[in-house]
Amino acid sequence: MSWNLFKKVVDELDSGFENLSLSFYIGGESLLHPRFIDMIKYARGKSCFCEIGFNTNGMLLTKEYMQDIIENIDWIKCSLEGLGEVNDSIRVGCDYLKVAQNLKDLVSLRGSKDKPRISINVTEYTQSKEDVSKFVEYWTKHVDAVYVSVFVDEKMRASEKFFDNEPVIRQEFCIFPFTYMGILWNGDVVACCGDLNGVNVTGSILNEPLKDIWRNKRFKTLRYQSLTGKYLAQSLCSQCNMWKTGFKPSSRIIDGVNIKFSGQRKEYRRLQLTTCYC
């Protein structure tokens, strides 16, 4: 996304909305953008955002960016898939040891500050349960939280096995068209974080103000389809099931770790975080 387009997006959000959560992520790696630090500083200066955060693979999370990230970001979530070679065999091109050191450097530089909240997400994929357990056990000692998420394929279908042995709830409709607006690099607007290729474009900020897009016919149609289940055949939404099943909210404490079940993920948070990098 160009710098001028980004400023236009943020300015329109600031003038037409309030209490927004801004996430620098809808596919891709935010830290690749040459003006990413300028972007988070610009957004931080606007009153409409109650929190700002981003997802990253951690490879470019180097010390030169860390102070600006700590001063301007509320949360950061890094994606890894296991310890060492387990991760590197799944996330091709990733260097686990490099990412691990970057995360530890960020935690150390943050010190006793409350923000940014630093977490790691691991998706249950081809790893063994033992691999995932070892990962959670290790990283809950070093970051604020570890999330284990359901695997979702290219058709937006979630694995039902992920929910085995835990109480679940069945959702009546998808909430994304009511709560989410994604803006792609070219200004196209989508209603789902999984619509990376702009299949269901609801408008373009280049042609229509964001506050009007939020209320336009295309967005209203998606909301109607969500409420009624009457999606167009073969559409992205008609194939998706990721919103249909979620954990019934619950929590329990095991070996000093608070485990929360909610939506399509499990959250692991150690009751007393240590920073022993052994």
Side-chain angles (χ1 to χ4, degrees), residues 74-134:
D74 297 298
W75 60 265
I76 177 171
K77 184 182 292 182
C78 183
S79 297
L80 290 169
E81 308 305 342
L83 297 174
E85 288 299 321
V86 175
N87 173 79
D88 292 351
S89 66
I90 296 173
R91 300 186 70 84
V92 178
C94 183
D95 183 337
Y96 172 84
L97 294 178
K98 180 178 181 179
V99 174
Q101 189 59 55
N102 289 346
L103 285 170
K104 291 174 182 179
D105 288 344
L106 181 63
V107 171
S108 178
L109 187 60
R110 182 192 63 176
S112 60
K113 297 183 179 72
D114 293 332
K115 296 180 180 180
R117 302 185 300 275
I118 302 168
S119 64
I120 298 176
N121 185 82
V122 54
T123 301
E124 278 198 5
Y125 185 45
T126 59
Q127 318 96 315
S128 68
K129 289 185 177 181
E130 182 181 8
D131 287 337
V132 174
S133 295
K134 288 180 178 179

Side-chain angles (χ1 to χ4, degrees), residues 125 150-159 194 236 239-242:
Y125 185 45
V150 64
F151 173 72
V152 179
D153 66 18
E154 68 277 3
K155 293 185 178 181
M156 301 300 293
R157 302 194 64 83
S159 170
L236 185 66
Q239 302 175 74
C240 175
N241 76 343
M242 64 174 286

